[in-house]
Amino acid sequence: MGINTQKLSHLVQNFVSTTADVVGAAIVTPDGLPLASSLPGSVAEERISAMSATMLSLGERIAKELLGGQTNRILVEGDDGYSIMTDCGPEAVFIVLAGKDAKQGALNLDISRTVTQIKVSLG
């Protein structure tokens, strides 16, 4: 049974349209292949997928070698907002692009809920 990309697309679209201060989101495979996205026009799906695979690889190495554990979430904070990558199991990573006014607590709660739905969709 394959991955239901239509259901994943619906989850991403719903997340972006209902979560405050989120400007885009995507679900990608750990090796950088896009599965579903709702991104601003200036962000290419293939580009964010490839960058995420690189960040995930580096994050896993840091977590294993320096922290002695697994990577659950990678947060990159810039002047204009955040990029948050969250592990969804062996098949997917959920990437969220949020504006600088995003409330971290509420955003993390919404991300956790969506990650649970993604994991269910992936089986």
Side-chain angles (χ1 to χ4, degrees), residues 4-100:
N4 185 343
T5 55
Q6 186 174 4
K7 184 163 187 172
L8 294 178
S9 291
H10 175 72
L11 288 172
V12 170
Q13 297 286 340
N14 187 53
F15 178 84
V16 171
S17 65
T18 62
T19 308
D21 298 310
V22 167
V23 296
I27 301 171
V28 303
T29 64
D31 57 349
L33 298 174
L35 296 173
S37 68
S38 177
L39 298 166
S42 62
V43 179
E45 184 179 59
E46 293 80 13
R47 196 166 171 201
I48 196 168
S49 298
M51 285 190 283
S52 298
T54 302
M55 285 294 299
L56 185 63
S57 176
L58 182 58
E60 286 174 347
R61 189 167 174 194
I62 290 169
K64 183 179 179 183
E65 293 183 21
L66 300 180
L67 304 173
Q70 300 266 340
T71 302
N72 296 321
R73 183 171 288 168
I74 297 171
L75 169 72
V76 177
E77 183 177 353
D79 291 339
D80 295 327
Y82 306 91
S83 174
I84 303 163
M85 290 178 274
T86 306
D87 179 50
C88 297
E91 295 182 32
V93 177
F94 185 46
I95 303 146
V96 174
L97 305 176
K100 64 182 175 183

